[in-house]
């Protein structure tokens, strides 16, 4: 955590770029009112090149994961509070961290995207879980998006929600 002037920032994931700089994601905001998902590009000596936020005062948004795609863009995954429901959040940024596209997905009360990776074909593989109640029974989810953040047909796998299934890590075999 980093806290200054009652604003707290928590970083959750990091990716190292081809120039040995660091792109880090998490959230920033007051813990009482709202948090915005944040992405920050640091130099190798931790000077800030650029940053961006996703969210607004009516939504709590958090990035949990970041990766670099095969076009050099940054892709981040996390959650956003959308009218009382927790939905998965995916955002794509260019090299200057300008937002290219974002998507909010989820059809249950709680949908969490915990990790995102870019595969060798330029698709994004997302893992996480969803639930109707947020506590007892979670269904682990794995699915793919194309570079425009559209779900690729027949690419979704759901682990039964009879137990508490939470997928939190992924690696792509090259």
């Amino acid at each position: 955590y980093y806290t200054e002037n009652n604003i707290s920032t928590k970083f959750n994931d990091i990716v190292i770029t081809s120039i040995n700089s660091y792109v880090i994601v998490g959230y920033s905001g007051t813990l009482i009112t709202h948090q915005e998902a944040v992405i920050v590009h640091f130099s190798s000596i931790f000077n800030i090149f650029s940053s961006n936020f996703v969210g607004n005062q009516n939504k709590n948004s958090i990035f949990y994961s970041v990766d670099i795609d095969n076009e050099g863009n940054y892709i981040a995954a996390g959650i956003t509070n959308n009218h009382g429901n927790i939905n998965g959040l995916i955002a794509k940024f260019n090299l200057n961290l300008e937002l290219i596209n974002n998507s909010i997905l989820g059809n249950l009360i709680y949908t969490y995207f915990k990790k995102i990776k870019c595969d060798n074909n330029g698709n994004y593989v997302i893992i996480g879980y969803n639930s109707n109640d947020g506590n007892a029974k979670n269904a682990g989810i794995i699915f793919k998006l194309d570079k425009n953040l559209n779900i690729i047909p027949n690419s979704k796998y759901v682990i039964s929600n009879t137990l508490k299934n939470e997928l939190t890590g992924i690696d792509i075999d090259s």
Side-chain angles (χ1 to χ4, degrees):
Y1 279 105
Y2 169 75
T3 302
E4 183 177 300
N5 298 326
N6 285 334
I7 302 294
S8 294
T9 302
K10 181 181 178 187
F11 295 125
N12 293 318
D13 198 17
I14 183 172
V15 65
I16 300 172
T17 70
S18 61
I19 61 168
N20 285 323
S21 61
Y22 312 108
V23 175
I24 300 172
V25 296
Y27 67 87
S28 183
T30 62
L31 297 176
I32 297 170
T33 57
H34 77 282
Q35 294 93 34
E36 293 179 294
V38 64
I39 183 168
V40 183
H41 189 179
F42 288 98
S43 72
S44 61
I45 57 172
F46 298 106
N47 293 319
I48 295 176
F49 286 143
S50 56
S51 64
N52 203 343
F53 295 89
V54 174
N56 64 43
Q57 292 184 358
N58 298 320
K59 297 180 181 178
N60 288 326
S61 301
I62 300 170
F63 284 138
Y64 290 114
S65 179
V66 64
D67 201 12
I68 302 172
D69 70 14
N70 59 357
E71 296 176 347
N73 298 307
Y74 304 106
I75 188 79
I79 61 168
T80 189
N81 185 335
N82 192 15
H83 304 293
N85 294 336
I86 304 295
N87 294 124
L89 170 65
I90 300 163
K92 185 176 181 178
F93 301 89
N94 67 17
L95 291 174
N96 297 316
L97 299 186
E98 296 166 325
L99 185 65
I100 296 171
N101 195 2
N102 70 335
S103 184
I104 296 172
L105 300 169
N107 59 0
L108 296 174
I109 295 174
Y110 302 96
T111 300
Y112 291 81
F113 295 160
K114 299 298 277 188
K115 196 71 174 173
I116 191 164
K117 290 286 185 178
C118 184
D119 70 13
N120 295 331
N121 298 318
N123 299 313
Y124 307 118
V125 180
I126 295 102
I127 64 166
Y129 59 95
N130 58 31
S131 170
N132 282 323
D133 64 11
N135 292 315
K137 296 179 182 177
N138 296 334
I141 54 175
I142 306 168
F143 64 97
K144 286 185 185 181
L145 299 177
D146 65 20
K147 67 180 183 175
N148 296 315
L149 306 185
N150 298 308
I151 295 175
I152 295 173
N154 302 314
S155 73
K156 186 175 179 181
Y157 180 77
V158 178
I159 298 172
S160 169
N161 66 349
T162 58
L163 300 172
K164 193 170 182 115
N165 297 297
E166 297 179 10
L167 303 177
T168 59
I170 187 172
D171 196 9
I172 304 291
D173 186 18
S174 55

